[in-house]
Amino acid sequence: QKEVEQDPGPLSVPEGAIVSLNCTYSNSAFQYFMWYRQYSRKGPELLMYTYSSGNKEDGRFTAQVDKSSKYISLFIRDSQPSDSATYLCAISTSSYKLIFGSGTRLLVRP
Amino acid sequence: GAVVSQHPSWVICKSGTSVKIECRSLDFQATTMFWYRQFPKQSLMLMATSNEGSKATYEQGVEKDKFLINHASLTLSTLTVTSAHPEDSSFYICSARDQGVNGYTFGSGTRLTVV
């Protein structure tokens, strides 16, 4: 079993839709959770960082963590074509290494 | 915000030659830097962790003699791919962590093509 599982997609939605991206993880000791956005041939860009269960909101983005279910989500409201990218969930371990999900490719159609 | 500069953004080299990739933290001191490799449509795979002034720690299966990592200062880490072969062709990405930053800042990546 992979430590972090993520549906690779692709996920195609119309402009303005609410997008839901999800990951599950296996180790209940993980505490720090991140979402990155990666455009083609570019390095990942940090979108959200959280370490507790619950919701964290930043503009159109909401990160949700459910530690009891070992489930993390990223919601994008009013999605735009410029949101088309690969979204990677990541978990920071106690040794500060990041474990990435496989990434979900998102396409927002105009 | 924190910025990590990675150069070159792309490089083409002949088999058997060596290539050096630089990763610089521009506005913060990076006590720890990480090097990743990413194949098309796949996630990032951690290759090694480097701490300033000490030897890098390589992940299982990564050849330390092929992928030489140097972290000589708090703002610069380098990855040298030695005796490159076509199977080393990939997208290499560095990231840096600062103790005072919640998160990791990534470079823009280097696309290496070995012909």
Side-chain angles (χ1 to χ4, degrees), chain B residues 19-96:
Chain B
V19 173
K20 180 184 284 188
I21 302 170
E22 290 191 350
C23 181
R24 292 180 185 273
S25 56
L26 298 185
D27 49 3
F28 66 101
Q29 293 184 329
T31 54
T32 305
M33 287 188 171
F34 303 88
W35 287 95
Y36 295 85
R37 184 172 181 177
Q38 186 176 33
F39 291 105
K41 298 185 179 180
Q42 293 189 26
S43 191
L44 284 74
M45 292 177 51
L46 180 64
M47 298 174 65
T49 303
S50 71
N51 294 296
E52 184 266 338
S54 61
K55 289 184 177 181
T57 302
Y58 291 81
E59 295 299 301
Q60 190 173 11
V62 177
E63 300 176 60
K64 60 180 68 176
D65 293 331
K66 168 172 264 306
F67 300 100
L68 301 179
I69 292 172
N70 183 278
H71 193 162
S73 77
L74 284 171
T75 60
L76 175 64
S77 177
T78 61
L79 166 67
T80 301
V81 183
T82 63
S83 186
H85 290 282
E87 57 265 31
D88 297 325
S89 299
S90 189
F91 193 55
Y92 293 87
I93 309 173
C94 69
S95 76

Side-chain angles (χ1 to χ4, degrees), chain A residues 34 36 38 41-46 49 51 88 92-93 95-103 105, chain B residues 34 36 38 41-44 46 49 57 59 91 93 95 97 102-109 111:
Chain A
M34 290 157 241
Y36 286 87
Q38 185 178 26
R41 299 174 183 259
K42 297 291 184 183
E45 168 194 10
L46 180 67
Y49 176 100
Y51 60 89
L88 297 147
S92 177
T93 69
S95 58
Y96 303 113
K97 295 179 183 180
L98 286 184
I99 302 174
F100 283 91
S102 57
R105 287 189 295 131
Chain B
F34 303 88
Y36 295 85
Q38 186 176 33
K41 298 185 179 180
Q42 293 189 26
S43 191
L44 284 74
L46 180 64
T49 303
T57 302
E59 295 299 301
F91 193 55
I93 309 173
S95 76
R97 177 180 175 271
N102 287 329
Y104 301 72
T105 304
F106 284 79
S108 55
R111 181 158 302 282

